[in-house]
Amino acid sequence: MVLGCCKMGCWTTIKSFHVKIILLDKQELIQEIQGKTTGQDLLDEIFKYINIIERAYFGLRYQDNDNQTHWLDPQKRVSQQIKGVSPVTLYLGVKYYAADPCKLAEEITRYQFFLQVKLDILQGRLPVPKDLSIELAALALQCKC
């Protein structure tokens, strides 16, 4: 929640603010957040935008002022969770991995999983042996061609 000053010198609460949301494909969305907007409301808007039906696997992350990463709680208001963080940037990510991604019903869900794993490998969060990384790079190139 952002505070502003009124003419009499008192502090008032501004009822909305904007957040930047970075999707797994690096797309950036700007979303207006009302004071009552919950994490689930925001997730629903994103899922609608990218046409995700299998929603339970995904969540939104943010970094606090101490550079600690947190998952946005869908049940709580967004304004309660990101106090003091400015500017607000949220990242869509895979929160829970499916045991067998091939059993996911939707192609778009499998694609989002692929983007998350690719990002995790590139950022060093998921260590991969050199021979496997070469094979994965070849497969990724085949997908693009």
Side-chain angles (χ1 to χ4, degrees):
M1 190 67 60
V2 180
L3 297 177
C5 188
C6 66
K7 291 181 183 180
M8 295 181 180
C10 60
W11 291 97
T12 59
T13 303
I14 297 173
K15 298 195 186 321
S16 69
F17 58 97
H18 289 89
V19 297
K20 177 168 56 170
I21 302 163
I22 300 179
L23 304 179
L24 287 164
D25 64 359
K26 304 291 187 219
Q27 240 184 116
E28 293 182 6
L29 304 174
I30 303 296
Q31 185 73 33
E32 183 176 3
I33 303 295
Q34 304 294 324
K36 62 182 183 197
T37 302
T38 65
Q40 190 62 55
D41 295 334
L42 189 54
L43 280 167
D44 289 344
E45 287 296 318
I46 294 166
F47 294 148
K48 185 175 164 185
Y49 177 78
I50 59 176
N51 200 25
I52 292 279
I53 295 171
E54 297 169 290
R55 300 173 172 195
Y57 299 105
F58 300 95
L60 289 169
R61 296 180 282 112
Y62 68 96
Q63 282 189 327
D64 63 18
N65 289 331
D66 297 324
N67 290 325
Q68 294 295 318
T69 301
H70 304 276
W71 287 101
L72 198 66
D73 186 333
Q75 305 309 314
K76 293 182 181 175
R77 292 188 320 215
V78 174
S79 60
Q80 290 177 313
Q81 299 179 66
I82 54 176
K83 292 179 183 175
V85 178
S86 183
V88 179
T89 303
L90 301 171
Y91 302 86
L92 181 67
V94 174
K95 196 169 182 179
Y96 305 106
Y97 285 95
D100 185 358
C102 294
K103 292 185 179 177
L104 293 169
E106 298 287 321
E107 179 67 29
I108 187 70
T109 308
R110 288 190 295 273
Y111 178 66
Q112 295 296 321
F113 270 57
F114 163 76
L115 291 174
Q116 180 71 63
V117 170
K118 179 180 164 186
L119 184 63
D120 288 346
I121 291 170
L122 291 173
Q123 293 180 346
R125 290 190 302 252
L126 185 60
V128 177
K130 187 176 181 178
D131 58 333
L132 182 56
S133 65
I134 293 168
E135 184 178 344
L136 289 172
L139 291 169
L141 283 172
Q142 285 180 6
C143 287
K144 289 204 180 234
C145 297

